[in-house]
Amino acid sequence: LLYRIYTAKPSEVRKICGIILDTSSITAGMLLAGEPGAMAFGVYLFVIVGNGGRYGYKLMRLAALFAFVGFSLVVLTVPYWREQASLSIGLLLTLIIIPVYYDLHLRRLVDVQKRLADYSIKDALTNIFNRRYFDQQLQLSFDRARRFGDEHFTLVMLDLDHFKQINDTFGHDVGDKVLVEAAQRLQAVVRSNDVFARYGGEEFVILLARTSLAEARTLAERLRLCISEAPFVYGEISIDVTVSLG
């Protein structure tokens, strides 16, 4: 516990001390009361564990541990609680169930927040970055270049050739499949620290950090080959796709 307090952030120390104070004072009250009226302390004991807004979800398990140990001590030492075995067991189970519920709820909440964050920066069809995110990163790159001077970057823009003809000939469903596969092929070539985004329609753009023009040309050639070297096949449909880059 001392190590936990020592390594905690300043904002968490007060919360940890609050958990200790609440639990110890309630346990002491129940030990001193030892009467049916002490049930109020038992109710409050697990209510504070569920008070995630006060302690924060990250400290829920610590609060639950203190409450569980404190109430277990009460059950073992106070005759009233030993006699009320069913009530004591029910309260102990509650002390376990509440933090588990909050933990599962938090995991779901974090997952939803992550998906919402992805929706705001990812293209729904290709699952690569969208234009909004790209524009933000481009502005940051400009800002860094102005500030540091030697922070250069390069842009590669590419367009699938005659994409309208693909849609008109094979339908928009096949056109969407071509866009998805093209994004996957390009993603396999693009470096992990580059920003690869769908700029609009059949247009893609790549922001290359700390990349010279010669290095960008080399990458652009690899991108061109990854699209044109093999046809896009969907059942009996085979489509030769090429790209224009600049």
Side-chain angles (χ1 to χ4, degrees), residues 114-123 130 132-133 136:
K114 183 179 182 302
R115 279 184 287 170
L116 289 176
D118 285 344
Y119 290 152
S120 67
I121 64 174
K122 292 292 186 71
D123 177 64
N130 57 23
R132 176 191 299 177
Y133 180 79
Q136 293 173 350

Side-chain angles (χ1 to χ4, degrees), residues 102-168:
Y102 272 100
D103 190 58
L104 293 175
H105 175 72
L106 177 61
R107 291 177 186 273
R108 287 195 296 268
L109 182 62
V110 170
D111 182 60
V112 170
Q113 290 175 335
K114 183 179 182 302
R115 279 184 287 170
L116 289 176
D118 285 344
Y119 290 152
S120 67
I121 64 174
K122 292 292 186 71
D123 177 64
L125 176 64
T126 60
N127 201 36
I128 62 176
F129 292 121
N130 57 23
R131 182 170 178 173
R132 176 191 299 177
Y133 180 79
F134 170 79
D135 288 341
Q136 293 173 350
Q137 296 303 308
L138 180 61
Q139 185 60 52
L140 290 175
S141 296
F142 272 118
D143 293 342
R144 284 194 294 266
R146 293 191 188 101
R147 181 176 180 181
F148 300 108
D150 60 345
E151 188 79 11
H152 57 276
F153 62 91
T154 309
L155 290 180
V156 175
M157 300 194 70
L158 60 96
D159 188 290
L160 300 185
D161 297 329
H162 311 297
F163 185 73
K164 183 178 183 301
Q165 184 177 341
I166 294 175
N167 278 335
D168 293 342

Side-chain angles (χ1 to χ4, degrees), residues 31-45:
L31 289 171
L32 292 173
E35 299 292 338
M39 186 183 300
F41 291 101
V43 173
Y44 182 64
L45 188 62

Side-chain angles (χ1 to χ4, degrees), residues 198-218:
R198 184 183 179 191
Y199 201 67
E202 69 274 20
E203 299 171 342
F204 299 89
V205 63
I206 308 165
L207 175 61
L208 307 173
R210 297 182 180 88
T211 304
S212 66
L213 189 58
E215 292 171 330
R217 286 197 184 100
T218 301

Side-chain angles (χ1 to χ4, degrees), residues 79-109:
Y80 169 78
W81 291 105
R82 287 203 305 270
E83 295 170 0
Q84 302 292 330
S86 59
L87 178 60
S88 300
I89 293 174
L91 291 175
L92 286 171
L93 289 175
T94 305
L95 290 173
I96 298 173
I97 293 172
I98 289 179
V100 169
Y101 167 78
Y102 272 100
D103 190 58
L104 293 175
H105 175 72
L106 177 61
R107 291 177 186 273
R108 287 195 296 268
L109 182 62

